[in-house]
Amino acid sequence: MFTGTKASLLDRGVKHVVSVTAYPFLKVKASFKKASDYVLGFAVRYDAVRKENQVLGKEIIQLKQMLANRAELRQENMRLREALQFVRETPRLTLELVDVLENYKGLLRIDRGSLHGITPSMCLITKEGVVGVITEVSTFTAIAATLNHPECRVGAMVKRNRLRAYDGVVHAGGGDFSPYCRMDYIDMKEDVRVGDVVVTSPESIFPAGCPIGIVTATHEGGSLWKWAELAPMVDPSRLDEVFLIRHAEATLDELTGPPAVVPDMVHTGELPDERSMQERYAP
């Protein structure tokens, strides 16, 4: 007890035993601490990555929206440029560009109404050709029947030979919203070919010469008549803007009408008979 030798030996022995006995627990403690630190760090990093991912996701959505808006603006700009060019190329027409609000089964609703001076039978066109005719007007909007709707009938002729059908109109093809139109009561002897362009006639409420459609087929309707199937130049389901015709100056064809048929003069060497009908045929 006084020298402390045995006590030192005992103390070392106890420490040795304690250290040996505590080693596994210390290892477990150290491992647990490392694991808890790793889990805690992983959770912190995961939360940071998740928040960063959310921020990046929002930025990607915003960039996609910006790209979509940019593409839409580019397309709109192109359409407006083409519209302006069309207005410049047709100075005889007073045109107003209007927006299409609704499109349903061959009917279009535009953003103009009686408040803007719209009346029934006013015409709608695009640079490609005929769209339709105003049929109903309210205060702020109006409804137009397109060539795919039975209420739209347009005076027409074949551009190549100025052929008019018996009733002189192109109308909807019939059936359940057929994308084709038809030109009825064409004389069987008349020359109508697949690929012929059909345009508005001088008798139409449209300005003469506006493209309507292309003949895709001809069908016999009986012993005297045949009819032509037309693919319209304009697909109304794809329109965002159309031109409203406010005023149209008459063309030379509309003012003078079809050219008069002058019979060929046959030279016989004789002077013309200037006697009256009574003098020539009276007994």
Side-chain angles (χ1 to χ4, degrees):
M1 290 178 66
F2 288 103
T3 59
T5 302
K6 292 183 179 181
S8 297
L9 292 173
L10 181 61
D11 182 57
R12 286 197 297 272
V14 171
K15 288 182 178 180
H16 178 69
V17 172
V18 171
S19 63
V20 172
T21 306
Y23 176 75
F25 298 98
L26 295 174
K27 290 288 292 182
V28 171
K29 178 183 177 183
S31 300
F32 180 76
K33 186 175 184 304
K34 290 181 180 179
S36 62
D37 291 343
Y38 175 78
V39 171
L40 181 61
F42 178 79
V44 172
R45 289 194 299 272
Y46 174 78
D47 186 64
V49 170
R50 184 175 60 82
K51 291 181 179 180
E52 184 179 2
N53 187 41
Q54 290 178 349
V55 173
L56 292 175
K58 291 180 180 179
E59 291 180 356
I60 291 174
I61 293 174
Q62 292 175 353
L63 289 174
K64 287 183 177 180
Q65 291 176 346
M66 290 176 61
L67 289 175
N69 293 337
R70 183 177 179 183
E72 181 66 23
L73 289 174
R74 185 184 298 114
Q75 292 179 359
E76 182 179 4
N77 187 37
M78 291 177 60
R79 292 198 306 269
L80 293 177
R81 285 178 178 272
E82 292 175 356
L84 180 60
Q85 183 65 25
F86 176 65
V87 171
R88 290 174 177 171
E89 292 173 353
T90 52
R92 71 186 186 93
L93 301 180
T94 303
L95 302 173
E96 180 180 353
L97 191 64
V98 298
D99 291 330
V100 176
L101 302 178
E102 288 182 303
N103 191 323
Y104 180 72
K105 291 187 177 181
L107 295 174
L108 301 179
R109 186 185 297 274
I110 63 172
D111 64 340
R112 295 292 188 278
S114 60
L115 189 65
H116 310 93
I118 306 301
T119 58
S121 299
M122 294 183 75
C123 303
L124 298 178
I125 63 172
T126 66
K127 67 182 183 67
E128 288 80 16
V130 169
V131 175
V133 179
I134 299 294
T135 56
E136 297 181 25
V137 180
S138 58
T139 304
F140 299 103
T141 63
I143 294 177
T146 69
L147 286 170
N148 298 129
H149 195 276
E151 292 187 20
C152 182
R153 301 175 67 86
V154 180
M157 64 182 179
V158 177
K159 183 177 181 180
R160 176 172 55 85
N161 54 11
R162 301 184 68 81
L163 167 69
R164 277 91 151 165
Y166 178 74
D167 62 355
V169 298
V170 167
H171 57 88
D176 297 332
F177 187 56
S178 171
Y180 293 96
C181 302
R182 57 188 293 164
M183 191 175 187
D184 290 326
Y185 302 116
I186 303 172
D187 193 290
M188 292 293 292
K189 297 179 294 184
E190 297 292 354
D191 180 23
V192 178
R193 308 172 189 172
V194 173
D196 276 343
V197 177
V198 177
V199 299
T200 54
S201 65
E203 298 82 17
S204 172
I205 61 174
F206 282 85
C210 293
I212 297 176
I214 298 176
V215 176
T216 56
T218 58
H219 305 275
E220 293 186 4
S223 59
L224 299 177
W225 310 103
K226 59 185 176 181
W227 61 277
E229 184 180 82
L230 279 68
M233 291 290 191
V234 180
D235 182 0
S237 64
R238 299 177 180 271
L239 295 177
D240 295 311
E241 303 96 9
V242 293
F243 283 108
L244 177 72
I245 300 179
R246 289 286 188 177
H247 176 71
E249 295 181 4
T251 62
L252 183 61
D253 287 342
E254 293 170 332
L255 292 173
T256 60
V261 178
V262 180
D264 295 335
M265 299 295 294
V266 179
H267 183 68
T268 61
E270 299 178 358
L271 294 175
D273 191 350
E274 297 181 353
R275 293 178 301 167
S276 66
M277 294 287 291
Q278 184 177 4
E279 292 173 337
R280 277 183 288 175
Y281 295 104

